[in-house]
Amino acid sequence: MRHDPFESLLEQHLSGVLDAEEREELETHLKECPACRLRLNVLEDCRRINEEDEVPATFSSSWRHKIQEQEEFPMKKKTPGWTKWLAAAAAVALVLVGTLLTGNELDRALGRRTQEGAQAPEGGIGFYSSINSRAGTGEDMATYQPAPDAAEPMMWAAETATGKEAQGLKIIRRISMTSATRNFQSDYEAIRNALGTAGGRIENADIRTAGNGLRTAYLTLRLPADQLDTFAGMLKTLGNLEAFSESAEDVSEQYSDTDSRLRTQQAKMERLMALLEKAVSVEDLISLESAIADTQYLIDSYTGQLQGIDSRVNDATLTMTLKEMSVLDTAEASQETLWDRIFSGVSHMWQLLRQWAADAAVFLAAILPIITIIVIVFLIVRAIIKRRIKK
Amino acid sequence: MGILLEMAKEVAFTRPRDETIAAFEALALPMERQVYYVCLNMMGDHLDAQDCAQEALLKAFRAFPGFEGRSKFSTWLYRIATNVCLDALRRRNETVSLEVMRESGWEVPDGAPEAYERLEESERRRLIKQALSELAPDYRAAMMLVDLNGLGYQEAAEVLEVPLGTVKSRVSRARDAMLKILSRQPELFPGSARHKGERRENHEA
């Protein structure tokens, strides 16, 4: 037995978009069709199937840990074949030469970077240590954000988020950050204390110890949204900030949709109650009772959804990965050993490599228009040649 | 969402590893419950669900730089999770009877809707989950997305990478099959067709 017209009515009923007439049609049909009644009940239960299922508390930290442990860095799949390699080599050479030729020029024009050697004390020994100590004090952050412009959309997103909130819009905010610290225990305590002051709570905390004895804490924190920026600012001062990312999800539309559905049902409830007072026959009473029960169910479910959104809007989520850093990273310039110097040598090279990568990115962006023109010209020429050959 | 995606992609292509992780987490964390429930509803138990959900998120992370934003991030993540589960089910190599999906013509047994309404809510959920696990995986996936997770047909079609009409017919057939399976629970539907049929046969005998 097929119930196609009613199946679509059922679906619309489940998403709460039926008007009064259609609803009446559906209700009349449901009364005389047990099959559709069963179908509706089952589908309603389907929507709430996972209400009693708890997500294991360790799930969140566990997949985040797995991602951290990933050996292979995510890359786009490479298409094999020597032509691709040749093209890649040519591109690398272009970027390499281009960056070397234009990089210094650009920097000088912008007055951005002074010669690094000039800041080092005399002699070769102090050279790396001076670089290394600079790395600890903010230079590190600067190189992690190669292009200064890259930080701007992020700030813009955050500003619009707070601006929108002022207009009564519903924004769910999330911050995710990673820091490395050498004072793991005390920083962890500091986070807990600051969280208490901010009126937040730990939703999940998982501390794991790696093979080398270094610990990593995966924290999921919930705190009042208006405290988020202050709290995140405080977290940034702990250890070395390695990554920071912020998102603002606008759920205003979803909220107002649900809200208007709730209002519709509430208005309907009032009408039903008024009818109930006037009802005389038992039959009327029974059908009104059943309509009231349905409406109450919808009111409860919409109210629950709104409360859920409200709680996520009021309480922002901050996920933090706090990594313990080896003391090797923090050698003082005054007591440098051979190891310290090797270490700072390597880290200096790393700094340079990253600097170079940033320069390369700038160069690539700069030559993009030229490449576009070349490609267009190439395509036109090819098209012309093809046409000639056809003729 | 648009700005966030642009930022995330920019981060994924040009910044070091930790930035990629943070960008991925910012997008994936709001989705982790849904991912878990997708896997739970596909696999039927928490142990397999957790394995699959983790594998899905890990796969998504590896593929993240290749994510081009042609579909929503949530759709993309649902697709990966659903495929991981379908693969796992294939490996599990359970034979699901397709008989119930093919049968046509079926009447709701007398008293079944009333008996169903009388059941405890948790008991009804248990029955639905049981019935869900008896559906063929492709049909289970379609019904899971539309009826359990509340996705629209269009989005479900994008997740499953099949045409819209296919999703609609799968969902419809999965619903029918689920009702059939449910109404064959003799202990819960005392007036079920089979019971009545057997009784009638006994009478005739």
Side-chain angles (χ1 to χ4, degrees):
Chain A
M1 197 162 42
R2 302 293 307 173
H3 292 267
D4 285 328
F6 294 104
E7 180 148 357
S8 109
L9 277 185
L10 282 181
E11 280 176 358
Q12 288 171 38
H13 169 72
L14 284 167
S15 35
V17 292
L18 277 193
D19 60 35
E21 200 177 310
E22 290 169 320
R23 211 189 137 82
E24 206 168 300
E25 189 190 345
L26 177 64
E27 272 167 13
T28 325
H29 176 71
L30 283 178
K31 250 175 237 158
E32 59 202 28
C33 177
C36 278
R37 223 157 56 227
L38 180 62
R39 186 175 285 255
L40 175 65
N41 282 327
V42 169
L43 289 180
E44 273 179 347
D45 286 336
C46 277
R47 287 289 164 107
R48 309 195 296 158
I49 192 100
N50 294 120
E51 250 172 38
E52 286 166 5
D53 294 317
E54 290 284 332
V55 177
T58 53
F59 174 61
S60 188
S61 50
S62 158
W63 70 260
R64 279 157 64 204
H65 181 70
K66 284 218 162 128
I67 283 177
Q68 290 275 357
E69 299 282 283
Q70 267 289 285
E71 283 296 316
E72 49 183 304
F73 190 67
M75 292 292 258
K76 266 196 152 176
K77 255 194 185 166
K78 286 195 185 84
T79 14
W82 65 272
T83 42
K84 309 261 169 170
W85 284 109
L86 198 68
V92 167
L94 178 73
V95 173
L96 200 76
V97 174
T99 311
L100 285 177
L101 287 178
T102 60
N104 289 334
E105 204 66 35
L106 260 171
D107 285 334
R108 220 171 296 137
L110 297 171
R112 195 175 53 170
R113 200 191 318 156
T114 50
Q115 258 196 318
E116 280 168 327
Q119 291 192 1
E122 297 143 45
I125 305 163
F127 180 75
Y128 287 143
S129 67
S130 105
I131 300 291
N132 195 31
S133 63
R134 284 203 312 134
T137 58
E139 179 69 16
D140 205 29
M141 272 309 298
T143 45
Y144 261 108
Q145 299 177 343
D149 317 347
E152 268 184 341
M154 203 181 280
M155 309 254 286
W156 182 80
E159 268 166 32
T160 45
T162 39
K164 273 183 177 174
E165 206 137 28
Q167 295 163 28
L169 295 188
K170 299 286 176 184
I171 310 283
I172 296 175
R173 292 189 62 197
R174 278 177 172 273
I175 284 183
S176 176
M177 60 200 285
T178 304
S179 287
T181 176
R182 44 184 183 277
N183 311 313
F184 184 83
Q185 197 60 41
S186 66
D187 281 354
Y188 183 62
E189 297 296 328
I191 292 173
R192 295 190 65 142
N193 291 339
L195 187 67
T197 332
R201 62 183 196 283
I202 295 185
E203 196 170 80
N204 186 43
D206 191 6
I207 300 180
R208 287 162 191 258
T209 309
N212 53 10
L214 297 175
R215 289 165 291 179
T216 305
Y218 300 92
L219 307 171
T220 308
L221 314 173
R222 302 289 303 268
L223 71 161
D226 52 352
Q227 298 283 331
L228 183 65
D229 290 317
T230 333
F231 185 68
M234 176 272 175
L235 291 193
K236 280 184 190 172
T237 64
L238 300 175
N240 290 345
L241 184 63
E242 290 188 344
F244 185 89
S245 139
E246 170 166 7
S247 79
E249 185 190 352
D250 187 348
V251 288
S252 314
E253 204 175 314
Q254 190 193 341
Y255 190 87
S256 65
D257 279 358
T258 314
D259 193 46
S260 64
R261 277 178 201 165
L262 177 62
R263 277 169 216 273
T264 315
Q265 295 302 325
Q266 280 167 339
K268 187 178 154 197
M269 185 60 125
E270 275 171 30
R271 288 203 305 278
L272 286 173
M273 289 310 229
L275 282 175
L276 190 65
E277 275 174 27
K278 289 179 204 152
V280 213
S281 77
V282 180
E283 212 168 284
D284 285 351
L285 279 173
I286 290 174
S287 60
L288 277 170
E289 291 281 5
S290 124
I292 286 174
D294 285 355
T295 315
Q296 188 59 48
Y297 167 75
L298 283 174
I299 289 179
D300 289 346
S301 124
Y302 291 148
T303 316
Q305 283 176 30
L306 289 181
Q307 280 167 353
I309 297 179
D310 272 331
S311 108
R312 285 189 298 151
V313 168
N314 295 336
D315 280 353
T317 308
L318 192 146
T319 46
M320 165 122 200
T321 308
L322 186 66
K323 297 196 279 191
E324 187 170 27
M325 211 164 38
S326 152
V327 272
L328 261 184
D329 303 358
T330 64
E332 294 295 321
S334 53
Q335 329 159 322
E336 279 195 315
T337 63
L338 180 62
W339 271 116
D340 294 334
R341 281 163 55 204
I342 291 173
F343 204 91
S344 50
V346 170
S347 85
H348 176 55
M349 280 315 289
W350 178 232
Q351 295 275 332
L352 283 183
L353 203 64
R354 282 201 311 227
Q355 186 69 54
W356 179 83
D359 285 352
V362 172
F363 172 72
L364 270 180
I367 62 164
L368 203 61
I370 301 171
I371 289 185
T372 318
I373 292 171
I374 292 175
V375 168
I376 291 172
V377 169
F378 171 71
L379 288 176
I380 292 172
V381 168
R382 201 176 62 167
I384 293 171
I385 290 174
K386 271 191 180 170
R387 201 171 294 169
R388 290 239 173 110
I389 289 172
K390 270 186 188 171
K391 278 176 186 171
Chain B
M1 202 64 189
I3 298 169
L4 188 68
L5 185 63
E6 282 314 308
M7 275 164 51
K9 274 174 65 183
E10 178 189 43
V11 160
F13 284 120
T14 62
R15 292 193 189 173
R17 184 190 168 84
D18 284 325
E19 293 283 351
T20 313
I21 292 177
F24 180 75
E25 283 183 356
L27 286 167
L29 276 167
M31 290 289 301
E32 64 174 6
R33 291 183 76 84
Q34 283 97 310
V35 170
Y36 185 81
Y37 287 143
V38 161
C39 297
L40 181 62
N41 293 328
M42 285 302 286
M43 306 307 293
D45 68 276
H46 282 275
L47 215 61
D48 284 344
Q50 192 159 354
D51 283 351
C52 287
Q54 271 182 19
E55 193 187 331
L57 285 160
L58 205 59
K59 269 198 171 159
F61 174 66
R62 288 199 202 115
F64 187 47
F67 171 58
E68 286 166 346
R70 264 180 301 197
S71 53
K72 284 199 291 181
F73 181 79
S74 58
T75 310
W76 182 72
L77 199 51
Y78 274 133
R79 185 185 305 148
I80 295 175
T82 312
N83 285 337
V84 165
C85 291
L86 287 172
D87 282 346
L89 287 171
R90 225 162 278 147
R91 277 200 305 274
R92 228 199 238 172
N93 210 9
E94 268 172 22
T95 41
V96 180
S97 159
L98 286 172
E99 199 187 325
V100 70
M101 321 272 337
R102 287 205 204 95
E103 281 173 20
S104 59
W106 155 81
E107 294 279 345
V108 171
D110 291 343
E114 291 77 12
Y116 185 81
E117 280 161 36
R118 277 196 297 273
L119 287 172
E120 288 280 324
E121 198 165 352
S122 58
E123 184 67 5
R124 302 206 302 260
R125 287 198 186 120
R126 193 187 64 75
L127 276 178
I128 290 178
K129 284 178 184 172
Q130 170 68 32
L132 201 63
S133 71
E134 289 179 36
L135 298 180
D138 283 343
Y139 292 86
R140 193 188 308 172
M143 185 165 181
M144 179 266 299
L145 291 169
V146 173
D147 285 335
L148 274 58
N149 285 61
L151 264 64
Y153 284 119
Q154 185 59 51
E155 197 181 354
E158 278 175 45
V159 171
L160 297 172
E161 293 176 296
V162 296
L164 187 62
T166 310
V167 172
K168 284 190 177 168
S169 87
R170 278 188 196 169
V171 171
S172 164
R173 288 175 67 188
R175 285 176 183 164
D176 283 348
M178 166 162 288
L179 290 177
K180 268 183 247 174
I181 295 168
L182 282 175
S183 58
R184 280 176 191 170
Q185 303 285 352
E187 70 275 28
L188 294 149
F189 294 105
S192 90
R194 198 200 289 162
H195 261 212
K196 268 168 57 177
E198 282 165 8
R199 238 177 283 147
R200 212 171 291 145
E201 279 167 18
N202 288 344
H203 271 284
E204 280 162 19

